Amino acid sequence: MASITGLKSRIVFDSRGAKTIEIDVTTDKKFSGRACAPSGASVGKHEAQSFPRNSPEKALEVLKANEIRFIGLDAENQKEIFDALRSIDDTEMYSVIGGAVAYALSLASLDSASKALAMPMFMLLKPHKPYMFPFPLGNILGGGAHAGPGTPDIQEILACPIGARNISEALEMNFRVHKEVRSVIQAKDEDFTYGRGDEGGWAPNANNDQALEITELAVKNCGFTMGNDMSLGIDFASSSFWDEKTRVYNYKRQGITRGREKQICYVNQLIKNYKLIYVEDPVNEEDFEGTARITKDNTNCIVTGDDMLVTNTMRAKMAAQHNACSGAILKVNQAGSLYDAMNFAQECAANGIKLITSHRSGESIDSHLSHIGIATDSKMLKAGILGGERVAKLNELLRLTEYDLIDGMAELSSN
Ligand code: PGA
Ligand code: ZN
């Protein structure tokens, strides 16, 4: 056992320059673990609240007043950490201490335990084989809440190098397509500034359909066969352009609206036209029935809930009841603590819902995400594409190839 002997917490800045919480946990007086909470721009309605009253300062204050509750706990035992957090805050959304503290404390504890026990984090979370690498879902081009005016309403166009035999090849393929997308945009728009969104995907002056055509052409130019070497996916993040009052999807940048039926038709059409193997939040976060229809009609596509499921076990149960999702995004900070998130992972696995472990658009240079992806048997890992905070996670996957225990790339088609 690695016993928590010290705790330090502070406010730092994330990759968007927003304040967040970083925590250091020491075990056995010498093993120091560290974690920094990420944050989202397209935030689900039912996510854990990052900070009490939107104040990182208040979160720190609550933590500092309760530090003693964590001293002496087993840093590896996430249930103990969770129970201590819940003894301070038993609200549904972590509105007393904040999800950022729950996140940073649980990850920093595990990081410290990993050092004390000389075991990689993924093995502490999942002690037995098989271990597989998730496919990196590269954010190639996008808009929405992650970029400015003129960019697509769709948040992310994603590349999945399905033909890659190993992680190194997979990352190289994604970077090649990303680079080629820039050349294709440039050839169409000589004023293109090389602007990128929060996660590194290009942010051109283009509508949704043009953006998909650009990406498809870039894949071809790289010599990759669509559906064989490379496949595409889309994160619509559609709740961010769903208007609850008028009940339409407002594609503001394209100057059009789509009602519910038209949106479902559009999504089905895009899946068919571009042979998409992945769509995320294609309809708004409360439309389980609409998601179920898309899931049923597209059995070769992983229809995934992010804002819809918010890494919440109850919402995963709801999705299973509706047969609403074949995939689920796992973002630990949406749930709060790692214990909450691992429960969600178990619920999804029990219902045959594939997991996709994901970063947030506001990130740190931590690389714990890659361990969580492996430990939860995730099929894919969303970690953006460029920028130190994105590459930190991708490079950790490369380091993990040094463990012979990991057997290769995940099976995308099996559960
Ligand atoms: P967020 O975006 O971190 O801004 O929520 C990521 C996503 O929607 O997948
Ligand atoms: Zn999303």
Side-chain angles (χ1 to χ4, degrees), residues 151-213:
T151 60
D153 296 282
I154 286 176
Q155 187 174 281
E156 301 162 31
I157 296 177
L158 302 148
C160 184
I162 56 167
R165 286 159 301 180
N166 55 52
I167 271 295
S168 170
E169 205 172 277
L171 295 177
E172 225 176 315
M173 286 169 76
N174 278 357
F175 285 129
R176 260 184 76 190
V177 171
H178 183 258
K179 198 167 173 198
E180 180 59 23
V181 163
R182 187 184 80 180
S183 305
V184 175
I185 300 169
Q186 222 176 345
K188 289 182 192 288
D189 175 7
E190 57 182 28
D191 294 327
F192 180 50
T193 61
Y194 296 0
R196 295 196 269 118
D198 287 346
E199 300 174 357
W202 302 113
N205 192 351
N207 68 31
N208 306 303
D209 302 311
Q210 289 164 338
L212 278 157
E213 281 159 24

Side-chain angles (χ1 to χ4, degrees), residues 257-275:
T257 59
R258 289 189 172 95
R260 180 173 184 251
E261 289 306 312
K262 280 206 173 133
Q263 174 71 5
I264 292 174
C265 275
Y266 181 55
V267 171
N268 284 336
Q269 197 68 47
L270 291 184
I271 293 174
K272 196 162 148 244
N273 290 354
Y274 294 95
K275 298 191 182 74

Side-chain angles (χ1 to χ4, degrees), residues 382-401:
K382 275 184 88 182
I385 188 94
L386 282 189
E389 73 283 5
R390 313 295 152 188
V391 174
K393 282 89 175 148
L394 303 175
N395 282 343
E396 182 69 359
L397 291 175
L398 291 174
R399 288 181 207 109
L400 292 178
T401 60

Side-chain angles (χ1 to χ4, degrees), residues 42 146 155-156 235-237 278 280-281 305-307 329 331 334 358 382:
S42 58
H146 294 173
Q155 187 174 281
E156 301 162 31
D235 182 2
F236 288 85
Y278 179 87
E280 186 178 324
D281 289 335
D306 170 14
D307 295 339
I329 283 280
K331 292 171 170 168
Q334 283 183 330
S358 172
K382 275 184 88 182

Side-chain angles (χ1 to χ4, degrees), residues 30-271:
K30 57 181 170 187
F31 299 102
S32 179
R34 174 174 288 170
C36 178
S39 76
S42 58
V43 175
K45 225 192 304 181
H46 305 280
E47 283 190 27
Q49 194 178 320
S50 289
F51 310 112
R53 289 187 255 132
N54 281 328
S55 164
E57 289 80 5
K58 179 74 195 156
L60 267 196
E61 208 180 283
V62 176
L63 174 62
K64 283 186 194 292
N66 286 282
E67 265 176 22
I68 190 74
R69 293 176 196 249
F70 298 95
I71 304 299
L73 299 187
D74 177 359
E76 188 195 354
N77 187 334
Q78 289 300 312
K79 174 75 164 64
E80 280 191 17
I81 311 283
F82 169 80
D83 286 341
L85 283 164
R86 283 316 196 182
S87 72
I88 306 164
D89 182 350
D90 66 353
T91 62
E92 209 180 318
M93 316 276 260
Y94 281 104
S95 43
V96 174
I97 198 162
V101 164
Y103 175 98
L105 195 57
S106 51
L107 267 297
S109 299
L110 196 68
D111 188 30
S112 175
S114 153
K115 284 167 184 153
L117 304 169
M119 295 251 282
M121 271 172 80
F122 73 86
M123 286 183 73
L124 294 183
L125 286 174
K126 183 192 175 198
H128 305 291
K129 279 176 96 157
Y131 300 113
M132 309 296 271
F133 282 111
F135 278 87
L137 260 185
N139 184 341
I140 299 300
L141 189 160
H146 294 173
T151 60
D153 296 282
I154 286 176
Q155 187 174 281
E156 301 162 31
I157 296 177
L158 302 148
C160 184
I162 56 167
R165 286 159 301 180
N166 55 52
I167 271 295
S168 170
E169 205 172 277
L171 295 177
E172 225 176 315
M173 286 169 76
N174 278 357
F175 285 129
R176 260 184 76 190
V177 171
H178 183 258
K179 198 167 173 198
E180 180 59 23
V181 163
R182 187 184 80 180
S183 305
V184 175
I185 300 169
Q186 222 176 345
K188 289 182 192 288
D189 175 7
E190 57 182 28
D191 294 327
F192 180 50
T193 61
Y194 296 0
R196 295 196 269 118
D198 287 346
E199 300 174 357
W202 302 113
N205 192 351
N207 68 31
N208 306 303
D209 302 311
Q210 289 164 338
L212 278 157
E213 281 159 24
I214 288 167
T215 313
E216 191 183 45
L217 179 59
V219 169
K220 208 168 127 207
N221 289 353
C222 287
F224 297 140
T225 311
M226 194 71 91
N228 202 5
D229 305 314
M230 187 64 85
S231 285
L232 297 181
I234 294 179
D235 182 2
F236 288 85
S238 68
S239 293
S240 57
F241 53 94
W242 164 251
D243 187 330
E244 185 63 44
K245 269 201 200 114
T246 53
R247 306 198 68 74
V248 293
Y249 293 90
N250 199 349
Y251 288 76
K252 265 195 204 131
R253 297 173 187 177
Q254 203 163 356
I256 58 165
T257 59
R258 289 189 172 95
R260 180 173 184 251
E261 289 306 312
K262 280 206 173 133
Q263 174 71 5
I264 292 174
C265 275
Y266 181 55
V267 171
N268 284 336
Q269 197 68 47
L270 291 184
I271 293 174

